Amino acid sequence: MTSSTRRSHLVRLVGLAAASALVAVACGGNDPSAVTTSSAAPATTAAPDDSSAPDTATGGTDTTAAPETTAAPAPEPQPGGSIVVALDNESAGFNPTNDPWSNGGHNVAKTIFDPLAAYDATGKVVPYLAESITPNEDSTVWTIKVRSGVSFHNGEPFNADAVRINFEASMASPVAKDQLSLISSLEVIDELTLQVNMSQPWGTFLTKLVGEAGSQVGYMAAPAMLASPDGNRNPIGTGPFVFQEWVPDDRLVVLRNEDYWQRPAYLEQITFRPFPDSTARQAAFAAGDVDAYYTGDPSDLVGYLAQDEAGEVNVTLGSPAGPDMIMFNTTVPPLDDVRVRTALVMAIEVERLFAYSDGIGVKQPIYGPYATDSFWYVETSYPKYDLEGAKALIDDYVAETGNPVEFDFAGGPDPFVVGYQELIQSMWAEAGATANIVSRAQADNIGKVINGEYEVTLWGNMGGGDPDNDYQYFRSGTGLNFSRYTSPEIDAAMDAGRATGDPEERKQQYAIVQEELAKAMPYGWLGTNKLGVVTRAELLGISDFTLPDGTPGQPMTSGHFFLKDAWLAS
């Protein structure tokens, strides 16, 4: 069985995505050389064209390492055919400005919508649906020039005003508003040009437009869809596939967009089916009922890679994803006491968690939001495993308050996740804490977290990449600071870090954030992750995702992947 369901707790989803992280936003973020816009003369970030190499000026950092792929060179792609893709969860809706998505929602979205920007093969951000995205000298004004001749699936023109409408919808959304919190005004200069005015320098603005966890606002939806009360059930974008039907908890079907502004997709139809249970996902793939699914289970990936070598399946590995983590609601007892939070983290022996997931040698311990090999990582006072120390802290709390350390511990219904929780539960019991396991469907858990109706939960998709992707999660007053922990020091550092494009200056600010988090312990960090897309042998091309000019792009970040270049061999 697989552990990929852990990723279903992600919500950078747009913030929630947001939550990050995902992916992540995308993860990595170890190449600060991609930062080109600070106090230096502005650099225009234009879409690659056939006459020149891709422009790597991003106004932000390289947040995603290029994915690994094991697929052999494919023969010439052929049009036609349909596939079934298994998702790890169902989404509540498909409005990118208002519906929080995790991996499943993003993978549907990448067929219907196009993002304004995307990652090239090196992990740098370049324009995608936009033709160019250009900052002024101090990154207080950005100019977005959109491509001409692009239309939404309903015939509406994609133009500067459409981008304005999308941004304004996100800015008015309680879910997405903090992704664009520094925008002070929007000015349509002409049919294809939008000027974005910032309230302060924002050197990393471009990274918010790639359409992933923590940057969902990058997807462009038709204005008519955004205006419709049921638009989130009938999504309309500019993407390579057109929405056909959605039967919640059963299937969502998209058909090839024959009028796509790039080369039309090869596949005629894609059916997405939610399988919240990882065992059921894997069984459906083995039975041939599913043509593709993604997993983060290390043992599964090792087995599939061996099958890939034998030509039995194809595997595309993404860049390292946001870490596994535990999140505490710091406003409810006993989690409002830092001694309790610290004790719960100290009581977790992560090597036992790695053994449970067959992750020894694959997963790595992590002592904060960024891996030890990340450019952004700094050593902090984050506690190591210390069972006796954890017992002492809990005993101290109980002696002072007269109350036991007992709380609800939420996670998904997947059997793997429940077993994972039970292992952590046993560790906490050794330290003198009682955790009551609560299993919730992802949409329910996300809703509970947003409303602050939780105590402790498995979570993810924070950390791992560019720290600005975590702005809405770590800073107070954003609406997406789900731990409810507030710190003036963190607020000031997060603000300063996004105001400059200089990597060393930014690292100094994020060092403050990491130390403050280590002292306050609103999160427990459990280990790094890696995800892969597994497909049947006849399904090719996922690893061959291309940018509009035909140069290679990055096909997969975290658990999100493109399908416009996928095809079936006869």
Side-chain angles (χ1 to χ4, degrees):
M1 59 186 160
T2 99
S3 62
S4 60
T5 318
R6 289 183 313 239
R7 309 303 306 155
S8 71
H9 299 296
L10 308 187
V11 292
R12 246 181 192 164
L13 180 174
V14 78
L16 205 59
S20 288
L22 33 192
V23 117
V25 109
C27 305
N30 299 336
D31 181 5
S33 63
V35 179
T36 60
T37 57
S38 54
S39 60
T44 297
T45 305
D49 58 50
D50 293 329
S51 62
S52 64
D55 186 347
T56 58
T58 70
T61 55
D62 171 3
T63 61
T64 311
E68 302 170 32
T69 178
T70 62
E76 192 69 21
Q78 305 171 26
S82 62
I83 63 170
V84 176
V85 177
L87 306 177
D88 62 355
N89 57 77
E90 181 63 281
S91 298
F94 292 94
N95 180 340
T97 72
N98 206 44
D99 289 315
W101 300 331
S102 63
N103 289 334
H106 280 279
N107 288 323
V108 173
K110 287 186 183 299
T111 63
I112 299 170
F113 305 105
D114 287 313
L116 287 172
Y119 294 104
D120 71 9
T122 70
K124 293 181 172 63
V125 183
V126 296
Y128 189 77
L129 186 55
E131 186 173 276
S132 64
I133 307 174
T134 310
N136 68 348
E137 185 172 351
D138 63 358
S139 298
T140 56
V141 177
W142 288 74
T143 301
I144 299 176
K145 189 172 182 62
V146 305
R147 297 178 185 274
S148 62
V150 179
S151 297
F152 290 100
H153 300 153
N154 63 348
E156 287 184 272
F158 172 69
N159 52 28
D161 199 51
V163 179
R164 176 191 64 80
I165 291 170
N166 273 263
F167 281 1
E168 289 182 347
S170 294
M171 293 162 67
S173 166
V175 171
K177 64 180 181 180
D178 293 297
Q179 294 179 61
L180 299 177
S181 60
L182 294 188
I183 294 179
S184 59
S185 63
L186 300 164
E187 300 177 39
V188 175
I189 305 302
D190 58 39
E191 179 73 10
L192 301 178
T193 308
L194 178 70
Q195 181 173 299
V196 184
N197 302 309
M198 306 299 180
S199 59
Q200 64 187 57
W202 193 359
T204 58
F205 171 61
L206 189 56
T207 64
K208 291 299 180 185
L209 306 180
V210 295
E212 61 181 7
S215 62
Q216 204 166 302
V217 296
Y219 296 112
M220 292 290 103
M225 175 199 145
L226 297 177
S228 172
D230 64 348
N232 69 337
R233 299 184 63 83
N234 297 278
I236 303 171
T238 62
F241 294 88
V242 178
F243 171 76
Q244 175 71 12
E245 67 168 344
W246 180 29
V247 180
D249 298 315
D250 181 57
R251 67 186 182 277
L252 186 147
V253 180
V254 296
L255 303 178
R256 180 169 57 206
N257 178 8
E258 302 294 351
D259 299 317
Y260 190 43
W261 58 277
Q262 299 187 66
R263 170 194 47 74
Y266 296 113
L267 296 171
E268 293 179 358
Q269 176 177 303
I270 302 173
T271 300
F272 294 97
R273 294 183 57 198
F275 289 82
D277 187 304
S278 61
T279 305
R281 270 197 311 279
Q282 189 177 41
F285 180 75
D289 297 328
V290 163
D291 301 299
Y293 86 107
Y294 49 94
T295 178
D297 184 280
S299 62
D300 285 353
L301 286 175
V302 169
Y304 284 130
L305 288 169
Q307 292 182 51
D308 182 294
E309 289 293 325
E312 299 168 358
V313 301
N314 290 319
V315 179
T316 298
L317 295 178
S319 57
D324 290 331
M325 56 184 286
I326 289 172
M327 184 164 65
F328 304 111
N329 185 339
T330 63
T331 64
V332 300
L335 292 317
D336 58 350
D337 193 299
V338 68
R339 291 172 296 180
V340 173
R341 301 193 299 268
T342 302
L344 295 178
V345 171
M346 292 171 67
I348 296 175
E349 191 173 5
V350 295
E351 286 78 9
R352 290 170 63 188
L353 299 180
F354 294 171
Y356 173 79
S357 62
D358 293 326
I360 294 176
V362 178
K363 300 173 73 67
Q364 299 296 325
I366 193 167
Y367 308 104
Y370 313 110
T372 55
D373 60 352
S374 166
F375 169 78
W376 304 110
Y377 171 79
V378 295
E379 188 172 352
T380 68
S381 59
Y382 186 86
K384 303 299 192 296
Y385 172 68
D386 180 358
L387 181 58
E388 294 306 314
K391 290 178 180 178
L393 287 172
I394 289 179
D395 289 345
D396 187 54
Y397 172 84
V398 172
E400 179 182 310
T401 66
N403 298 318
V405 175
E406 183 172 358
F407 49 86
D408 287 346
F409 179 27
D414 186 287
F416 180 94
V417 174
V418 174
Y420 190 79
Q421 288 180 277
E422 289 172 343
L423 180 55
I424 296 173
Q425 179 190 49
S426 69
M427 297 180 196
W428 285 340
E430 292 180 51
T434 301
N436 303 310
I437 293 176
V438 177
S439 296
R440 298 187 180 120
Q442 181 186 16
D444 183 32
N445 198 43
I446 288 174
K448 295 286 188 183
V449 167
I450 290 175
N451 294 325
E453 299 171 354
Y454 79 101
E455 294 177 339
V456 181
T457 184
L458 290 176
W459 205 248
N461 224 27
M462 293 183 190
D466 190 300
D468 190 60
N469 293 331
D470 299 309
Y471 183 91
Q472 62 265 38
Y473 312 121
F474 296 163
R475 199 195 188 286
S476 63
T478 65
L480 294 175
N481 183 343
F482 302 126
S483 73
R484 271 70 178 171
Y485 177 72
T486 62
S487 162
E489 291 80 11
I490 289 179
D491 290 354
M494 294 302 292
D495 288 345
R498 70 164 25 179
T500 177
D502 182 87
E504 293 300 334
E505 290 180 12
R506 296 182 68 209
K507 185 173 182 177
Q508 291 176 17
Q509 298 302 321
Y510 298 129
I512 296 172
V513 173
Q514 291 173 73
E515 179 56 37
E516 290 298 315
L517 290 176
K519 291 190 296 186
M521 301 303 299
Y523 315 104
W525 308 97
L526 304 181
T528 58
N529 269 310
K530 200 158 200 175
L531 294 175
V533 182
V534 184
T535 72
R536 61 186 177 102
E538 295 82 7
L539 179 54
L540 307 172
I542 290 180
S543 62
D544 300 324
F545 168 65
T546 56
L547 298 171
D549 71 328
T551 58
Q554 189 165 90
M556 182 178 181
T557 57
S558 187
H560 317 151
F561 50 92
F562 290 88
L563 288 167
K564 77 175 184 68
D565 296 297
W567 60 282
L568 284 170
S570 59

